[in-house]
Amino acid sequence: MTLVDLGLGEVHFEVPAAATYNGGQLLTNLRAEGLSPDDVDLVLFTHMHRDHVGWTSDGAGGLMFPNARHVVDQKEWNHWQSGSDPVGPDPKTVLTPLTPAVTFFTALPPTPGIQALPTPGHTPGHTSFLITDPTTDENLLILGDAIHTRAQLENLDWVFRSDYDTRLAAEHRTDLLHRRSGSELIIADSHFSGGVFGRSGVSR
Ligand SMILES: [Zn+2]
């Protein structure tokens, strides 16, 4: 069982002048599928903004998913090691429990059928994922925060306020959506309003 990103966690907090965040239902939804945290054997992080790493800790100093390999881009991990940032991973509940367990992406797929695509720009080590169905060859592209709104699908040069490097972010948005445009491509983006999944309609 693989999870891509760990949502907000069981928290409610506000980033001044940005947004109010309410925690999600990850554990409840896993339970509804008959799964427990022990069943998760791989956690892949697109990046380490606070709203993507929320369920990392079990609240008692350990990992919520103790049997899982936790994998992130090494540049991303290094970036968040110095100091505390209100939108970055909480040092106590995320970085500390992850430190003895974290591993980094290599040139090899993190697991068969999933490719990690380096897409820095939104953050220094942002990663998107391409998942291929072995029976149909259909592809699912998990964007992470490479794209924040549906409007950016048609305006790939539009920047999001929290992009770390706007030029790189725009380059990778374009590359991501054109890289696979010759094949069936389902995209997933957790920040799109009204639904996470859709089909890319970007033309070349
Ligand atoms: Zn982000």
Side-chain angles (χ1 to χ4, degrees), residues 15-122:
V15 177
T20 300
Y21 295 87
N22 293 310
Q25 300 293 311
L26 178 59
L27 297 188
T28 305
N29 290 342
L30 283 174
R31 262 197 305 277
E33 297 293 331
L35 296 166
S36 81
D38 287 349
D39 295 318
V40 177
D41 49 31
L42 181 61
V43 172
L44 304 176
F45 292 109
T46 61
H47 65 302
M48 302 199 74
H49 275 156
R50 193 163 289 214
D51 54 330
H52 294 256
V53 297
W55 292 101
T56 298
S57 165
D58 64 0
L63 293 168
M64 179 62 78
F65 305 104
N67 299 330
R69 264 193 309 135
H70 291 68
V71 196
V72 67
D73 182 278
Q74 185 155 19
K75 280 200 211 85
E76 183 74 11
W77 178 256
N78 293 345
H79 174 73
W80 296 110
Q81 297 306 303
S82 55
S84 155
D85 184 317
V87 301
D90 182 71
K92 186 164 166 234
T93 61
V94 178
L95 296 180
T96 298
L98 263 183
T99 293
V102 71
T103 60
F104 304 115
F105 294 119
T106 68
L108 299 173
T111 193
I114 300 183
Q115 290 180 53
L117 308 176
T119 48
H122 177 63

